[in-house]
Amino acid sequence: MPERKLAIVTGASSGIGREIAMLAATEGYDLVLAADEPLVDAAAGLRRNGIEVEAIEADLSTPTGVERLLAAADGRDIDVLVANAGHGLGRAFLDQDVAAWRHVIDTNITGTLLLLQAVLKRMVARGEGKVLITGSIAGHVAGSFQAVYNGSKAFVDSFAAAIGNELKDSGVTITCLKPGPTDTRFFERAGMLDTKVGQAPKDDPADVAVTGWEAMKEGEHSVVHGLKNKAQLLASAVLSEAATAEMHRKQAEPGSG
């Protein structure tokens, strides 16, 4: 009997990551799930129809956490990588602890790149594989009171496009999912529940997951979920950075909600 295909999903304990893991399980993928918090409930709900699920708690901002995740694949070929792990951080930059903003950068950028490089080398050697990276429309906006997070997503959005181009003849595809505000624990963990954007209606993570998963299967370079987010992206392309920063301030300044 042929071995099932394997998908790795990071940031899989809740939100978009968990919803993508459910889509992968429905399509018959074995799963390696990773998050920086326990995954007991998420993993239990996916173990059905013979699906094998390996769930690990790992801090993917560190080389040790990334190595632990890779080891959980147990040498198997990785058919799909969903690099979804990410941290937000709200409030004024001068009020943030150094450890807090460094953790955002180490999770969203450094850990993501460590994981991508290791997995992509193996995919390219095989001549096949699909990668879905969670960027954000935030990467196109100067993010007052969310400056480190938006800056990290600007890097991710750009990096995904660049490596997608580098690998265009390799048989491996890179898709960047760019959601807007989504109904997850993001704003709670980022300390932004008292902001206008923190209290505003948000997209359903299940809908966002479908958008990203289907785009990945088609090998699209990037995909923005939702008409409102697409309109915001178009507006950001013609406005100055000063203008987008002021717009973002009105949404993300503490107490604006």
Side-chain angles (χ1 to χ4, degrees):
M1 184 176 178
E3 190 176 59
R4 289 182 184 272
K5 290 188 174 183
L6 179 66
I8 291 178
V9 183
T10 69
S13 60
S14 61
I16 297 170
R18 181 174 182 177
E19 296 294 337
I20 291 175
M22 293 173 65
L23 292 171
T26 299
E27 295 193 14
Y29 285 86
D30 285 340
L31 295 169
V32 175
L33 309 178
D36 61 358
E37 58 188 5
L39 277 150
V40 176
D41 292 340
L46 294 167
R47 289 192 177 101
R48 58 177 184 267
N49 300 327
I51 298 295
E52 294 181 11
V53 181
E54 179 74 18
I56 66 166
E57 185 178 349
D59 183 355
L60 298 181
S61 71
T62 67
T64 300
V66 173
E67 289 167 5
R68 186 168 177 230
L69 170 58
L70 293 169
D74 198 26
R76 289 180 59 180
D77 289 334
I78 299 164
D79 299 283
V80 166
L81 169 64
V82 180
N84 172 71
H87 275 187
L89 184 63
R91 319 198 93 74
F93 175 64
L94 297 187
D95 295 335
Q96 295 168 354
D97 292 335
V98 172
W101 62 255
R102 284 192 64 174
H103 193 262
V104 171
I105 293 171
D106 288 341
T107 301
N108 296 2
I109 298 177
T110 308
T112 298
L113 266 59
L114 287 170
L115 179 60
L116 284 169
Q117 190 173 57
V119 173
L120 285 170
K121 283 183 176 181
R122 292 175 55 183
M123 287 182 170
V124 170
R126 291 169 52 217
E128 62 178 335
K130 292 187 177 297
V131 174
L132 179 64
I133 302 171
T134 301
S136 176
I137 64 168
H140 295 263
V141 177
S144 304
F145 296 100
Q146 211 176 351
V148 174
Y149 174 77
N150 282 39
S152 74
K153 287 302 182 180
F155 179 97
V156 169
D157 291 349
S158 174
F159 182 80
I163 59 169
N165 179 266
E166 289 182 17
L167 300 180
K168 66 179 183 178
D169 299 319
S170 68
V172 178
T173 60
I174 309 290
T175 302
C176 186
L177 169 61
K178 299 179 182 181
T182 305
D183 190 12
T184 68
R185 293 178 56 207
F186 175 90
F187 293 97
E188 174 189 353
R189 297 182 72 177
M192 297 180 67
L193 292 181
D194 64 340
T195 65
K196 186 172 291 186
V197 67
Q199 296 186 14
K202 298 172 181 63
D203 293 325
D204 186 331
D207 294 337
V208 177
V210 170
T211 295
W213 183 256
E214 292 300 321
M216 180 203 71
K217 290 199 301 183
E218 294 298 319
E220 296 180 25
H221 297 299
S222 68
V223 61
V224 177
H225 175 79
L227 293 175
K228 181 179 179 181
N229 296 324
K230 291 176 182 177
Q232 183 175 332
L233 204 61
L234 289 172
S236 70
V238 298
L239 294 172
S240 68
E241 290 178 333
T244 62
E246 184 61 30
M247 290 172 59
H248 199 280
R249 180 189 190 105
K250 293 174 182 177
Q251 294 293 318
E253 187 170 11
S256 62

